[in-house]
Amino acid sequence: MSRPGSRLTDTKKVSGELFSLTYGALVAQIVKDYQSVEDVNKQLEKMGYNVGVRIIEDFLARTKEGKCADFRETAEKVQAAFKLYLNMSPTVTSWSAASDQFSLVFEANPIAEFVELPDNYADLQYSNILCGAIRGALEMVHIEVAAWFAQDNLKGDSVTELRVKFIRKVEDTVPAGDD
Amino acid sequence: TKLINCLIHFYKRDFVMSGTYYFVIVGHNDNPLFEVEFSSSGREVRKDDHRHLNQFIAHAALDLVDEHMLRTPNMYLKIVDKFNEWFVSAFVTASRQRFIMLHDLKNEDGIKSFFSEMYETYIKQVMNPFYSINTPIKSVHFEKKAQFYGRKFLTG
């Protein structure tokens, strides 16, 4: 699974399938626990947020780069993070005119690899944890964003598109609390 | 058996007797998880007509399947039973799910390939976090695969 010498830091790699199955079991359990699909989406986003606020430290430690000059650089960093942590290579596209919104487009979504959404969960945002993670991570570097899925392979779209919108710079220090 | 023979006679009249297949996946509680029929006659197989009889034959064969399963390390059990003109072939997965095929032509290679491909398809289905094992398979993707492999290996 892990090739020797491919990473400078010692990380223990886990099979992608195991990760997908674990995440799937998690989502299935949350779906059983909560009554409404909206609640499930919120929970997944919250969980993602909690992952994001922690993982940003690790990301910055590994990449050792400085501040982003503008939102476009931020987008590139987010793209790099997907490659680093999930071995996913989204393309950054669909910039808004004011350069405050962009899309990450994934050809395929490995964490939803074997998933078929049942009819009664048609509104489930299965990978909402990713949206939360982006929101949490960027909040820690004082950028408030909103992230959501504009398109989803699981819902029949040809690609999965995650849209990120810049809301504002956070001037005060954000307390790193759990929601 | 007299009753069964009468039923068979009755069905035989409008039943095309060449290249008809009935495939069923039987769960641990002897419940059918997935059923599909193929006919190489090109005629639309009316499901309701023969479904009960097919289920009966498949169910009756389960004991033999279970016996064969214990005697061989192979997943493909070939023909385990015969009922009048129907052969019953079986395939057992690693988790003891039983694939049963009722057929009136031998076609061992086709059936073996069909079983193997459906096994792959079944594995993918099981990986879906929203699917509970031993429950009926309602996935459109799964049905499409079954139709595809049925045409490819069984009816041509």
Side-chain angles (χ1 to χ4, degrees):
Chain A
M1 275 183 279
S2 70
R3 271 160 285 165
S6 63
R7 301 285 287 270
L8 294 174
T9 48
D10 76 329
T11 49
K12 295 163 188 45
K13 287 198 182 180
V14 148
S15 126
E17 267 187 21
L18 177 60
F19 180 70
S20 303
L21 287 176
T22 307
Y23 183 69
L26 177 72
V27 175
Q29 189 58 49
I30 296 182
V31 161
K32 283 201 192 97
D33 291 343
Y34 287 83
Q35 307 312 322
S36 89
V37 169
E38 256 321 297
D39 284 343
V40 176
N41 290 339
K42 284 204 189 89
Q43 280 304 309
L44 291 175
E45 212 271 352
K46 251 193 214 173
M47 283 166 44
Y49 176 84
N50 289 325
V51 169
V53 301
R54 292 165 173 79
I55 214 167
I56 183 73
E57 295 289 354
D58 184 73
F59 177 73
L60 293 174
R62 282 178 207 261
T63 55
K64 294 183 174 54
E65 291 171 44
K67 281 186 174 213
C68 293
D70 60 19
F71 201 51
R72 286 194 181 247
E73 278 193 36
T74 310
E76 278 171 33
K77 298 270 173 73
V78 173
Q79 188 184 28
F82 271 98
K83 181 72 189 157
L84 181 66
Y85 291 110
L86 292 170
N87 200 23
M88 286 159 79
S89 303
T91 47
V92 177
T93 63
S94 307
W95 279 100
S96 62
S99 283
D100 64 348
Q101 285 192 47
F102 65 92
S103 286
L104 291 161
V105 175
F106 305 85
E107 286 299 318
N109 186 358
I111 64 172
E113 198 176 339
F114 301 106
V115 179
E116 254 184 77
L117 284 183
D119 294 328
N120 46 334
Y121 302 137
D123 290 330
L124 179 67
Q125 304 286 24
Y126 184 82
S127 311
N128 224 17
I129 199 170
L130 299 177
C131 298
I134 292 176
R135 183 172 72 89
L138 291 180
E139 192 173 298
M140 285 285 101
V141 289
H142 305 288
I143 304 172
E144 189 179 322
V145 297
W148 69 96
F149 280 103
Q151 290 189 79
D152 195 346
N153 275 119
L154 293 180
K155 303 211 168 117
D157 298 316
S158 51
V159 293
T160 297
E161 181 187 348
L162 209 172
R163 192 121 184 99
V164 182
K165 174 181 168 161
F166 174 84
I167 297 182
R168 63 188 181 103
K169 245 186 178 164
V170 180
E171 294 306 336
D172 337 299
T173 5
V174 179
D178 292 340
D179 272 7
Chain B
T1 29
K2 221 180 175 186
L3 174 63
I4 305 300
N5 282 326
C6 282
L7 286 172
I8 301 278
H9 239 342
F10 179 83
Y11 286 123
K12 246 185 181 167
R13 287 184 309 168
D14 51 0
F15 206 176
V16 177
M17 294 314 285
S18 66
T20 308
Y21 301 84
Y22 166 73
F23 171 69
V24 58
I25 300 181
V26 183
H28 294 150
N29 303 319
D30 291 355
N31 48 327
L33 308 181
F34 180 77
E35 296 168 274
V36 66
E37 277 142 11
F38 305 100
S39 168
S40 56
S41 68
R43 187 179 68 98
E44 268 296 305
V45 180
R46 294 194 302 273
K47 285 201 193 117
D48 298 329
D49 285 2
H50 318 294
R51 181 57 65 91
H52 289 131
L53 181 61
N54 292 336
Q55 283 180 340
F56 176 84
I57 299 175
H59 201 273
L62 287 180
D63 285 343
L64 283 165
V65 174
D66 291 346
E67 262 178 52
H68 271 79
M69 177 196 314
L70 298 171
R71 283 198 244 129
T72 168
N74 303 327
M75 290 203 240
Y76 178 49
L77 301 180
K78 302 196 202 187
I79 295 176
V80 300
D81 195 13
K82 195 173 186 307
F83 189 89
N84 290 358
E85 66 284 338
W86 288 109
F87 296 105
V88 184
S89 290
F91 178 100
V92 184
T93 73
S95 59
R96 298 262 181 117
Q97 299 291 357
R98 293 159 292 189
F99 291 4
I100 311 280
M101 180 80 79
L102 267 61
H103 52 109
D104 50 13
L105 291 181
K106 284 239 163 133
N107 195 8
E108 187 172 311
D109 287 335
I111 290 174
K112 184 172 188 182
S113 302
F114 180 82
F115 277 151
S116 294
E117 296 290 357
M118 287 316 295
Y119 184 33
E120 289 287 327
T121 313
Y122 176 74
I123 291 172
K124 287 215 178 77
Q125 175 67 22
V126 161
M127 301 276 255
N128 181 2
F130 295 112
Y131 172 70
S132 308
I133 308 211
N134 276 325
T135 61
I137 297 174
K138 300 234 170 39
S139 147
V140 168
H141 174 260
F142 193 90
E143 281 166 20
K144 281 204 183 117
K145 284 283 183 183
Q147 291 293 336
F148 174 76
Y149 292 125
R151 275 195 300 275
K152 183 172 180 185
F153 294 116
L154 302 178
T155 57

